[in-house]
Amino acid sequence: MISFYGKELLSLKANLHTHTTCSDGKFSPEEVIRLYSDAGYDVLSLTDHRTTQDISRYNPENLLLIPGIEIHPHDEHSTHHWHLVGLNVPLDFRHPTPEKEGLNVQQSIDLLREAGALPFIAHPYWCGFTSADLRPLTGYYGMEVYNTECRNIGRAYSIQTWDELLEAGRDIPVTAVDDMHSAASLFQGWTVICAEKRTLESVLDALRNGNFYASQGPEFRKLSFENGVFSAEFSPVVSAHLVMQASRGRIGLQPNQDGPGTPFREIERMEFDLNDLPPGSYFRCQIIDRNGRFAWSNSIRIQ
């Protein structure tokens, strides 16, 4: 459970980007389902390249399965291809290869939405796209801030891209994913969905409304913003910050805060009065545990 901005909600651990032998993954769908179920996940989406799957064929055990797809629209201004993850894609999704039919990324986002799916931007840093490329796009529900598979070329994190979008006034929620193709990418980045019920409908509703956070390990137990005061409670961490507009920010704790060689410290909560922030500015909470693993809350915009 999590106290999520005044509501007591379920904390459902999810991997929202996964591949199987139906495209270029090393494990069969049944094996992937078993692996994530045994690891204690609550939600899994099978997002094979250019193909959807009939999830009713599988025994999900303790998992909620979300039918998904990954598609690759071309970019009109470069040789790069976008990667879009579509969640809740119908089995008869009619257009799995937009790159062959000339659809650009915005048209592909629109097409996924028209089909009832939730589009997310996959690993923009890995693809070679910047915030300037993402800024004109509309209609997607979030982007990946961390992607385990992208460690292979040193581009796992898209944190700066996210902050630049926030600076530009684009309040984009973020996910963390494995993008699992093989055992090397198992269980290292996930999204915690804060849902009212353990049902597909409730999970999709939480994703539509940005009620989730991204993590590699640390857990948020409470997030609150009332009367201009932000507070958070979480598993023990060695670094905790509010990241804000430009050079603004707040420090809950950072390593060697009292100087080099000072005793190792951890905290589990922080609170800040933010009534001095100007309208239109944003903040987000970022925490790091003793193993160097991040968790990121989604941003809040000051009204």
Side-chain angles (χ1 to χ4, degrees), residues 104-143:
N104 63 29
V105 62
Q106 185 62 64
Q107 291 168 324
S108 299
I109 290 170
D110 296 342
L111 194 68
L112 285 165
R113 287 185 62 114
E114 288 167 10
L118 281 63
F120 284 78
I121 304 290
H123 45 65
Y125 183 39
W126 184 91
C127 287
F129 293 112
T130 69
S131 61
D133 298 303
L134 272 72
R135 202 174 302 147
L137 303 179
T138 61
Y140 60 100
Y141 286 91
M143 58 164 263

Side-chain angles (χ1 to χ4, degrees), residues 61-104:
E61 301 181 16
N62 298 319
L63 284 172
L64 283 173
L65 293 184
I66 302 176
I69 195 170
E70 184 173 2
I71 59 176
H72 311 283
H74 75 288
D75 183 71
E76 300 168 286
H77 307 293
S78 77
T79 59
H80 297 166
H81 280 253
W82 292 87
H83 288 226
L84 292 178
V85 168
L87 303 178
N88 196 41
V89 177
L91 187 59
D92 61 351
F93 183 60
R94 67 174 180 82
H95 196 46
T97 55
E99 64 270 30
K100 293 183 179 179
E101 299 191 29
L103 291 190
N104 63 29

Side-chain angles (χ1 to χ4, degrees), residues 167-288:
E167 291 272 359
R170 299 295 312 278
D171 295 319
I172 307 302
V174 294
T175 61
V177 302
D178 279 339
D179 191 2
M180 197 277 293
H181 289 73
S182 67
S185 294
L186 283 167
F187 318 140
Q188 296 177 65
W190 55 87
T191 303
V192 178
I193 299 171
C194 305
E196 294 186 357
K197 300 176 182 179
R198 191 187 175 93
T199 64
L200 180 59
E201 180 181 358
S202 186
V203 163
L204 293 174
D205 188 58
L207 288 170
R208 290 187 189 99
N209 290 294
N211 294 342
F212 53 88
Y213 68 87
S215 182
Q216 298 173 286
E219 298 177 359
F220 285 109
R221 294 167 179 161
K222 178 181 178 180
L223 291 166
S224 174
F225 184 54
E226 295 183 5
N227 301 317
V229 177
F230 173 81
S231 63
E233 297 177 9
F234 33 77
S235 55
V237 299
V238 298
S239 176
H241 293 83
L242 289 190
V243 180
M244 300 178 180
Q245 213 92 6
S247 60
R248 290 179 179 267
R250 300 287 192 275
I251 300 173
L253 180 68
Q254 62 186 11
N256 295 323
Q257 185 164 312
D258 300 319
T262 52
F264 188 83
R265 294 175 57 196
E266 290 181 318
I267 60 170
E268 298 182 48
R269 70 179 310 274
M270 63 181 183
E271 180 175 293
F272 294 104
D273 188 329
L274 303 178
N275 281 289
D276 61 324
L277 292 183
S281 59
Y282 77 89
F283 67 91
R284 60 176 183 82
C285 185
Q286 178 172 293
I287 55 178
I288 308 173

